[in-house]
Amino acid sequence: MECAKDYQAIISAEGKLAFVIPAGMTAPGNAPQIVYNGGNSALLYRSSGDVMVLDDLHPQVREALVQVSQAVIIETDRQTGYTLYDYAANVKKITTR
C-alpha cells in the first residue's frame, strides 16, 4: 500500500470530483474503486493488489466523496507533466460502527 503524498483533489462547480495523482508503475485494473468511510483518508484500489492511500482529505473533498458515485482519476508523470492514465473510479462508501 502506497500513500499518495503529492496529489490534488478538484471539485467542479457541478460537484464532480477528480483526483490528480502520481502515475502508478502499471496500468490500472478493469474496475478501479475508491473506498471511503467518512474519515480523513480514502483508499484508491487501482487494481486488486495495487492500493493507494489518499490521506489528509480536505473537508470539502470529504463532503464530495459522500455525495458522488464516481470520481475521475488522472495519473500523471510528475517529471514531464503528461497524463499517463485517466479513468473513472466508483466510490464505495462504508460505515463503521
Side-chain angles (χ1 to χ4, degrees):
M1 188 176 312
E2 179 181 350
C3 187
K5 297 184 189 315
D6 186 21
Y7 73 92
Q8 293 179 318
I10 301 162
I11 305 169
S12 74
E14 297 83 24
K16 295 179 182 177
L17 179 61
F19 290 96
V20 181
I21 65 173
M25 299 299 285
T26 59
N30 292 335
Q33 179 174 249
I34 295 173
V35 176
Y36 183 60
N37 70 357
N40 194 37
S41 60
L43 299 176
L44 168 61
Y45 286 81
R46 295 181 72 249
S47 64
S48 61
D50 190 357
V51 183
M52 182 176 286
V53 179
L54 302 170
D55 206 7
D56 295 324
L57 295 169
H58 188 278
Q60 289 176 319
V61 174
R62 291 184 226 161
E63 289 176 27
L65 277 168
V66 171
Q67 301 298 320
V68 299
S69 60
Q70 282 191 331
V72 173
I73 309 297
I74 302 166
E75 298 191 25
T76 62
D77 180 324
R78 296 299 176 151
Q79 291 181 340
T80 65
Y82 290 120
T83 297
L84 298 181
Y85 310 109
D86 61 282
Y87 50 92
N90 290 327
V91 176
K92 178 180 179 180
K93 294 117 181 149
I94 57 172
T95 57
T96 57
R97 294 181 184 205

